[in-house]
Amino acid sequence: MTNRKTAIVTGAARGIGRAIALRFAQGGANVVLNYRSSCPDALIAEVTSLGVECLPVQGDISSFAAAKALIDSAKEKFGAIDYLINNAGITRDGLILRMSEDDFDSVIDTNLKGAFNTIRHASPIMLKQRSGAIVNITSVVGLYGNGGQANYSAAKAGLVGLTKSVAKELGSRGITVNAVAPGFIESDMTAGLPEAIKAKLLESIALKRYGQPAEVADTVYFVANCPYMTAQVITLDGGMN
């Protein structure tokens, strides 16, 4: 048990999830690092070096049972759940004419149902506490669509509806539910894009650069700590058009 707040971050092993976990640790929260395959020892060490406790929990949150185990582990270790950050996501890109059923289902199961699973298990705890903040990581693709990403776009758009509906259900108990929609963020994925595609993408961004994972993390931290903000989707895209 501890007086520190507790943050659960799904998909925390790398990229945006890693940056979010570190940001909450910097803010003084104990952090539950959820990951599907492996969690770098360096990340665990970096979190604990900030003077907070760290609980790594392996589990595929597309599984209802695995999501329950994650929430139960956090509650058992820290006694409360103050922040739930649904960041875990995968891509299985392809044109709709060639997209397999498995490619569609796997993206929906992780990116959308995974968020439902964790919220479903965390919300009774937050309701009993009469406090809590949930932030779902959606995407500009969920707002505008993108060719070759029908599955990903559908899942991220679904997160917007999930966010707004759950916010209405839980708001009377002081629980906020919001979403952050990043645009193109510098990552392993964007690093591998052909130069011609990179140039075209940058033309559409007013700030003429990609966002950084730390910028997303700062936004998520801000949103999670706004007690009068709920049911909102905050777009972080550098002024895309």
Side-chain angles (χ1 to χ4, degrees), residues 15-58:
I16 291 173
R18 180 183 186 280
I20 292 170
L22 289 171
R23 181 64 186 88
F24 277 85
Q26 289 164 2
N30 295 320
V31 181
V32 181
L33 302 171
N34 163 254
Y35 57 96
R36 189 168 65 170
S37 54
S38 63
C39 187
D41 290 339
L43 173 58
I44 297 170
E46 193 169 355
V47 169
T48 55
S49 74
L50 294 167
V52 301
E53 292 187 70
C54 177
L55 177 65
V57 180
Q58 189 276 335

Side-chain angles (χ1 to χ4, degrees), residues 10-237:
T10 69
R14 59 191 181 91
I16 291 173
R18 180 183 186 280
I20 292 170
L22 289 171
R23 181 64 186 88
F24 277 85
Q26 289 164 2
N30 295 320
V31 181
V32 181
L33 302 171
N34 163 254
Y35 57 96
R36 189 168 65 170
S37 54
S38 63
C39 187
D41 290 339
L43 173 58
I44 297 170
E46 193 169 355
V47 169
T48 55
S49 74
L50 294 167
V52 301
E53 292 187 70
C54 177
L55 177 65
V57 180
Q58 189 276 335
D60 183 347
I61 49 90
S62 68
S63 159
F64 193 71
K68 184 178 188 302
L70 168 65
I71 302 302
D72 288 348
S73 295
K75 179 69 166 64
E76 181 179 355
K77 172 70 173 176
F78 296 116
I81 297 171
D82 302 287
Y83 307 106
L84 171 61
I85 314 301
N86 282 308
N87 168 75
I90 62 171
T91 56
R92 295 286 186 273
D93 295 350
L95 296 175
I96 193 70
L97 290 173
R98 300 191 185 97
M99 186 174 290
S100 69
E101 182 180 14
D102 182 65
D103 284 344
F104 188 86
D105 288 348
S106 61
V107 170
I108 296 293
D109 286 348
T110 297
N111 299 19
L112 179 55
K113 187 171 181 286
F116 159 77
N117 289 341
T118 58
I119 292 171
R120 172 63 181 81
H121 296 303
S123 54
I125 297 169
M126 290 183 171
L127 286 167
K128 189 174 181 180
Q129 296 171 176
R130 300 187 74 89
S131 66
I134 299 169
V135 182
N136 299 317
I137 308 302
T138 180
S139 168
V140 292
V141 170
L143 304 177
Y144 309 125
N146 193 35
Q149 290 191 308
N151 48 3
Y152 188 77
S153 299
K156 293 300 190 179
L159 276 177
V160 172
L162 181 68
T163 297
K164 291 180 177 291
S165 295
V166 176
K168 293 180 185 299
E169 293 184 22
L170 304 184
S172 64
R173 296 292 184 93
I175 300 163
T176 63
V177 189
N178 294 287
V180 172
F184 288 97
I185 306 301
E186 196 167 286
S187 65
D188 294 341
M189 182 178 69
T190 54
L193 290 172
E195 290 301 320
I197 293 178
K198 285 184 182 181
K200 185 174 182 181
L201 288 175
L202 289 174
E203 284 179 11
S204 71
I205 300 172
L207 293 179
K208 303 305 178 190
R209 67 173 179 86
Y210 294 127
Q212 298 296 317
E215 292 173 315
V216 180
D218 284 342
T219 304
V220 171
Y221 187 79
F222 171 78
V223 168
N225 286 285
C226 282
Y228 199 60
M229 179 188 292
T230 198
Q232 302 304 305
V233 181
I234 308 302
T235 303
L236 190 73
D237 65 2

